[in-house]
Amino acid sequence: MHMLGVCTHVPEAALARLAKEGLIIARPRHGCIVAPRNSSIFRGHVLLVMPPGDYVHLANIMGWQLTRRLETAGYLVSRASSYITKNGKTDFARLRLALRQSVDLAIFIYESSDAAKCARQAGVPFVTIGNGFLPGALANVQVNSSTAMESLIAKCHADGIRTIEIIAKS
């Protein structure tokens, strides 16, 4: 940290990532050691591709659930997104950069034919989660928001919540 002139967050994040990937073993109050060579690092690398714009909140909820489940199953999970420029166009530079890494599967938490084109060009297999269909996807998982809402309402009622107010942006 002192040699590179960076804040404590940088080496802490780097060590956390190495531990997450199974390359080091963190020992509280003792430091870190290199993991044995014969230990399995991870089962594969999954890239969650998040949407730009207004739907980010719902996608983040789904993304964190997917991340938790995939990491529990032994996968390395990273995230990427495109972003909307000032002139209203979508910039895919960050997504293209993320797809150049050793990614085994990309999961798009929205449908975008341009984003799917980036994955196809990089040779990365992908699936989509949303309401549409993208050619070239290994699978297109349909999301039914009315079924999800019914489940949410049933769970709230089971937990004793009698009044639910839903505010949505259309």
Side-chain angles (χ1 to χ4, degrees), residues 67-134:
T67 298
R68 185 175 51 85
R69 289 180 181 184
L70 287 166
E71 286 178 346
T72 300
Y75 291 91
L76 172 66
V77 180
S78 57
R79 289 178 174 226
S81 181
S82 52
Y83 66 95
I84 308 295
T85 62
K86 290 179 183 178
N87 62 2
K89 296 189 179 196
T90 305
D91 186 334
F92 293 99
R94 293 177 187 165
L95 175 59
R96 285 188 187 99
L97 181 63
L99 288 166
R100 286 182 24 203
Q101 299 175 24
S102 60
V103 176
D104 298 301
L105 177 69
I107 300 176
F108 289 89
I109 305 187
Y110 71 110
E111 308 91 28
S112 166
S113 57
D114 291 330
K117 183 179 176 183
C118 293
R120 284 193 299 273
Q121 288 174 342
V124 175
F126 65 95
V127 299
T128 62
I129 299 175
N131 295 321
F133 173 81
L134 288 178

Side-chain angles (χ1 to χ4, degrees), residues 137-165:
L138 294 175
N140 292 281
V141 180
Q142 298 291 313
V143 175
N144 185 332
S145 57
S146 61
T147 303
M149 191 59 67
E150 291 169 9
S151 299
L152 173 66
I153 291 170
K155 173 76 171 124
C156 289
H157 281 280
D159 290 345
I161 300 170
R162 297 292 168 227
T163 304
I164 302 169
E165 201 169 319

